[in-house]
Amino acid sequence: MIYGYAGTILRINLSTNKIVKTPLKKELVEEYVGGRGFTAKILYDENPPNVHPFSPENIFIVAMGPLSGHMLPSSGKTHFATKSPATGGYGDSNMGGHFGVTMKYAGYDVMIIDGKAEKHSYILINDDDVKIVDAEKYWGRGSAEVEEAMKKDLGEDYQILTIGPAGENLVNFACISHDFGRQAGRIGIGAVLGSKNIKAIAVKGTKGIPVFDPELLLEKGKKMYGDLRKKPGFTGWTPQGTAGITDWCNNVGALPTRNFQKSNCDYAEKINGEAVLKELKITDKGCFSCPTPCGKYGHAKTKIGDAYVEGPEYETLSLLGSNCDISNIHDIAYLNYICDELGLDTCSAGVVLSFAFECFEKGLLTKEDVGMEVSFGDFESAVYLLRQIAERKGIGNVLAEGVRGAAATIGKGSDQFAIHVKGLEWTGYESRNAPGMMLGYMTADIGAHHGRCWVLGNDVAGSAVVGNVNDLISGEQNANFLPKAKHENVVPIVLKSQHIRPAFDIIGTCRLQFMEIGLETSYYEEVFYAITGRKFSWVELERLSEKLWHLNRMYNVREIEGFGRKFDYPPKRFYTEPIPDGPNKGHFIELEAIEEMLDHYYDGRGWDCNGIPTSDTLVKFGLNL
Ligand code: SF4
């Protein structure tokens, strides 16, 4: 027995129908702790080198952390990993809800799926009983629709994750959906399940998880809840969730607008957090054990129909909203709903749509290519393209590859405004005026994703403290600010953020209580000890998080031909086109400064000038690769 863990790894081979359960090894727990630690180690060790992401041999991993499912705030996170069809490298994605904790209650810390089912199937787990079941009647249907149908068929006490038609059709940015609005959105993780003929995974778990000191956990968990409620961010941040940052981003010139051509819009107040509450919200919705429910379940009314949907949160508001120049909050929420039903990541979908609109605007795509006239700001264009993408029909088949792949097909210089890093579309922060944010996205192992680094507030405030976002963004903003952080000085803060943010994906809790509300890291050390009996400091957790940057970098070196420095460049637009107007008019970061930042960053990481970890660095972190 290992305190804090369910104790078993579940392996499912879909080609042979072989189901094997093995004890969770103590060495894996001691060295890699859980969640993202497990997925990074297992993917490196077990995935066949150079496997195609859609090959049956590409493994699909689900992993929970030691804190997942216990009595403390927001311990309901689940981590997924596989070789990414979007980047061709290490890919992972994290999701809230109730799925991971139920997997642990069923007895599993890790599930590794490989092979390919002969026919459309789903995986059914009821504690020890694990089956591969025919899913023909669910295939082709929307994510939430199938979740609802499966709950009717199996019972409300099953937790279900599904893919939509986009995952079935191997769209490079297909997501996994769960809990009627939670997604593991990024890196095309849903397409990998689709490639294995798996429509859904349903789990029911009724067991307990051994805890080292239950009384201590109760005491510390209660304290965490109590102290969290006393923080100003508790009442300041929770009502609007991430959508509350929209105005600030617009004011400081960080709100992507018209495919990142501009950095602010003149209708932010129509698509901000207040608009979500006023126009859409029916109720708050949260994940397992969460006292700060950031989900806003609402009702969107549009000229083409109504929809009930969780969201939109900030990334969706910015990328399906201002970045597509769509200014009606109901229309944005409806696009959010369509993405959820089709199983498309709203971040990548927003960037892909805006890329297509710009191609059309510049005459690189025509009505004949697309099937209709499409344009920025046109809701119906967006609906049409999303459906084409999910079905891989016509131009949708080109756009389904993501902006990197689509630009390669369309050509004519469209790569100038394909906004991605390593093949993953950039999320909702214009960074031409934010060197730290830009560097954090450039160097992330999975591509441009805010889950790996967020230092925009530091760029704006010139602060070197990673932590409470609200402290960084509150107070009067100078409308004419320029980054106070010098380019070479941003490296320490980027490294710190890159270690802290994904650290929560290792232990299995939500990061927002720390990032947005300011809950101190010492609480996590205390509950970690109460649960596992292991004294594991936050410093050690950050050190492990740092180690994973080297391990995943080496995975990318192994899997992506020619991988190195050139894969860390930002989109061309960001170092060649000044921001045309708004508070940061004229600003961009020149290539020379980007190269300098990379030099400093590689030095700070212990990587060579091509961005490859040196043998000394690997040895220092105990990586014998
Ligand atoms: Fe889920 Fe939001 Fe709560 Fe985090 S803050 S656990 S994402 S509801």
Side-chain angles (χ1 to χ4, degrees):
M1 181 178 66
I2 310 176
Y3 288 117
Y5 297 82
T8 302
I9 296 181
L10 173 64
R11 291 173 183 274
I12 301 175
N13 186 308
L14 298 163
S15 301
T16 60
N17 282 342
K18 201 168 161 194
I19 291 160
V20 177
K21 295 169 192 173
T22 52
L24 184 68
K25 288 206 176 119
K26 217 168 160 213
E27 306 81 71
L28 182 70
V29 168
E30 278 171 1
E31 204 173 341
Y32 289 93
V33 177
R36 179 167 168 258
F38 287 171
T39 62
K41 172 69 173 159
I42 293 169
L43 201 75
Y44 192 94
D45 284 355
E46 297 195 18
N47 225 20
N50 301 314
V51 69
H52 190 281
F54 295 145
S55 158
E57 281 73 45
N58 185 23
I59 61 175
F60 179 94
I61 314 167
V62 187
M64 281 56 73
L67 269 50
S68 308
H70 293 285
M71 293 178 290
L72 59 131
S74 312
S75 65
K77 288 286 183 172
T78 315
H79 207 65
F80 301 88
T82 190
K83 185 172 184 181
S84 164
T87 69
Y90 174 84
D92 69 16
S93 200
N94 198 273
M95 179 181 82
H98 299 76
F99 183 85
V101 301
T102 312
M103 279 294 293
K104 271 186 91 169
Y105 297 158
Y108 311 105
D109 301 290
V110 181
M111 174 165 56
I112 303 170
I113 302 169
D114 73 342
K116 179 177 181 177
E118 209 172 50
K119 53 188 181 177
H120 301 151
S121 305
Y122 73 92
I123 295 170
L124 180 64
I125 302 168
N126 180 359
D127 285 336
D128 296 336
D129 191 22
V130 181
K131 289 183 191 141
I132 301 157
V133 182
D134 186 287
E136 206 54 61
K137 70 174 177 176
Y138 303 126
W139 201 261
R141 294 166 66 185
S143 293
E145 183 194 340
V146 168
E147 186 171 355
E148 192 178 358
M150 289 184 76
K151 278 193 173 263
K152 274 195 189 127
D153 293 345
L154 299 171
E156 282 292 328
D157 43 1
Y158 275 87
Q159 293 299 329
I160 291 158
L161 61 81
T162 62
I163 60 165
E168 297 170 13
N169 295 322
L170 311 186
V171 174
N172 266 0
F173 47 98
C175 67
I176 286 171
S177 297
H178 161 63
D179 221 4
F180 303 101
R182 293 282 149 185
Q183 278 82 26
R186 310 238 66 204
I187 69 101
I189 201 124
V192 174
L193 265 194
S195 75
K196 297 185 176 307
N197 266 340
I198 292 298
K199 177 70 181 175
I201 304 173
V203 60
K204 181 171 145 185
T206 61
K207 302 180 191 176
I209 308 167
V211 168
F212 172 69
D213 189 337
E215 276 178 32
L216 185 64
L217 174 60
L218 196 57
E219 181 199 323
K220 299 294 179 191
K222 264 186 180 169
K223 188 164 165 23
M224 263 175 116
Y225 276 108
D227 290 355
L228 189 59
R229 287 197 166 89
K230 289 182 208 148
K231 301 268 179 199
F234 180 78
T235 43
W237 178 82
T238 312
Q240 295 185 13
T242 61
I245 204 172
T246 311
D247 285 325
W248 179 82
C249 284
N250 195 48
N251 292 340
V252 301
L255 188 71
T257 303
R258 292 177 75 92
N259 197 30
F260 291 83
Q261 293 181 75
K262 289 159 45 93
S263 65
N264 71 326
C265 68
D266 55 12
Y267 49 80
E269 77 284 357
K270 291 188 191 163
I271 63 167
N272 64 10
E274 277 173 35
V276 171
L277 301 192
K278 196 164 147 249
E279 295 287 333
L280 305 169
K281 187 188 143 181
I282 298 169
T283 185
D284 292 323
K285 186 165 170 281
C287 306
F288 174 86
S289 76
C290 181
T292 57
C294 68
K296 309 297 154 197
Y297 194 73
H299 186 193
K301 299 171 200 156
T302 75
K303 61 184 171 189
I304 65 167
D306 282 22
Y308 290 93
V309 61
E310 181 180 338
E313 45 78 60
Y314 171 73
E315 300 296 333
T316 309
L317 287 168
S318 57
L319 295 169
L320 286 173
S322 55
N323 200 41
C324 291
D325 219 359
I326 290 175
S327 57
N328 182 309
I329 192 77
H330 287 273
D331 290 349
I332 299 168
Y334 195 84
L335 294 175
N336 188 161
Y337 159 77
I338 290 183
C339 285
D340 289 358
E341 273 307 283
L342 296 175
L344 291 166
D345 169 30
T346 56
C347 297
S348 286
V351 179
V352 169
L353 288 182
S354 64
F355 169 80
F357 294 153
E358 189 166 348
C359 282
F360 202 92
E361 191 174 71
K362 289 185 157 59
L364 311 185
L365 286 175
T366 64
K367 189 177 168 187
E368 288 67 43
D369 297 325
V370 177
M372 67 179 278
E373 292 207 7
V374 296
S375 67
F376 281 112
D378 181 33
F379 170 57
E380 286 174 57
S381 298
V383 173
Y384 168 79
L385 285 176
L386 289 176
R387 294 200 190 285
Q388 294 289 103
I389 291 166
E391 296 298 330
R392 277 191 174 270
K393 274 192 195 151
I395 191 67
N397 194 38
V398 175
L399 298 175
E401 296 296 313
V403 294
R404 181 172 69 175
T409 304
I410 293 165
K412 304 172 197 166
S414 57
D415 62 330
Q416 170 71 18
F417 52 87
I419 310 297
H420 73 93
V421 173
K422 301 181 180 71
L424 189 72
E425 287 74 20
W426 198 276
T427 55
Y429 302 96
E430 161 67 65
S431 303
R432 274 176 286 183
N433 201 45
M437 197 71 180
M438 188 182 276
L439 183 64
Y441 273 30
M442 285 158 54
T443 52
D445 48 1
I446 62 166
H449 181 46
H450 57 285
R452 288 295 198 261
C453 182
W454 195 97
V455 293
L456 183 61
N458 302 83
D459 282 326
V460 174
S463 165
V465 179
V466 171
N468 190 344
V469 173
N470 281 302
D471 286 350
L472 289 168
I473 69 171
S474 60
E476 228 170 278
Q477 296 298 330
N478 173 2
N480 295 314
F481 88 93
L482 284 174
K484 291 174 190 156
K486 291 226 184 314
H487 294 173
E488 67 270 24
N489 290 346
V490 299
V491 171
I493 188 74
V494 168
L495 293 174
K496 187 85 175 160
S497 179
Q498 287 186 334
H499 300 159
I500 289 185
R501 272 175 96 80
F504 291 89
D505 300 343
I506 298 170
I507 56 177
T509 64
C510 180
R511 64 173 177 264
L512 296 176
Q513 290 65 36
F514 166 77
M515 290 289 164
E516 305 286 353
I517 300 176
L519 196 65
E520 290 80 2
T521 53
S522 55
Y523 291 94
Y524 295 94
E525 294 174 341
E526 289 173 359
V527 290
F528 195 102
Y529 174 69
I531 290 168
T532 65
R534 176 181 177 186
K535 291 209 185 267
F536 190 64
S537 69
W538 189 263
V539 172
E540 288 172 282
L541 179 60
E542 278 189 41
R543 178 87 174 162
L544 171 58
S545 190
E546 184 174 3
K547 175 176 177 165
L548 301 182
W549 280 87
H550 304 305
L551 181 56
N552 291 343
R553 189 79 176 181
M554 289 308 290
Y555 186 83
N556 286 343
V557 169
R558 188 180 84 184
E559 298 298 316
I560 301 174
E561 201 184 335
F563 186 82
R565 188 180 186 107
K566 65 184 179 200
F567 285 78
D568 291 334
Y569 287 158
K572 279 190 189 165
R573 163 159 287 158
F574 288 6
Y575 57 87
T576 56
E577 293 179 33
I579 296 171
D581 54 20
N584 308 315
K585 185 175 174 182
H587 201 83
F588 70 111
I589 301 177
E590 289 172 2
L591 190 55
E592 200 183 327
I594 283 167
E595 297 284 16
E596 270 178 35
M597 282 202 292
L598 279 177
D599 287 340
H600 288 292
Y601 178 87
Y602 294 159
D603 266 0
R605 275 256 171 258
W607 296 352
D608 69 16
C609 62
N610 192 30
I612 312 295
T614 63
S615 49
D616 284 356
T617 300
L618 296 178
V619 168
K620 193 166 136 198
F621 283 85
L623 289 164
N624 184 16
L625 306 176

